Amino acid sequence: IILGLTVTVSGLYSRKGGIEDPEDQYRLPYPPFLYGSKLTEKRLTLRLKYEPFHNVFTDFYYSYSDISDEDPTRTPSYLIGKNNSFSVSLSYGL
């Protein structure tokens, strides 16, 4: 609709089970799907890039994430929970 505007929206939902030992793949019965401590990550990202003048760019970025992890050693504590991040940049000639 607006010349020079690029809008990008992306989403992510992932789950991960516990870390398995290589010997576990030979054990019968095989452990259930996503056994062990679970990691769940939900992320939504919005990015707006606009070129108001020739070779002058503005970039707006917003990201929301919700991460939970039952293994305290796998994910850094500052990433756990609901987090928002936002950035604005201005560049020339890139």
Side-chain angles (χ1 to χ4, degrees), residues 17-86:
I19 299 170
E20 85 175 10
D21 294 324
E23 294 82 27
D24 286 346
Q25 63 183 325
Y26 302 110
R27 191 175 67 194
L28 291 176
Y30 193 76
F33 181 68
L34 292 177
Y35 70 94
S37 59
K38 292 173 185 54
L39 166 69
T40 303
E41 179 177 356
K42 298 172 225 163
R43 185 179 306 270
L44 180 65
T45 304
L46 172 66
R47 182 176 182 186
L48 303 171
K49 189 170 186 177
Y50 182 56
E51 184 180 5
F53 307 106
H54 181 66
N55 283 342
V56 176
F57 298 95
T58 58
D59 196 6
F60 302 94
Y61 174 84
Y62 172 76
S63 178
Y64 168 79
S65 66
D66 184 7
I67 300 174
S68 64
D69 194 354
E70 295 172 356
D71 182 0
T73 61
R74 181 169 37 191
T75 305
S77 61
Y78 66 89
L79 293 175
I80 300 293
K82 297 178 181 180
N83 295 301
N84 295 294
S85 54
F86 179 80

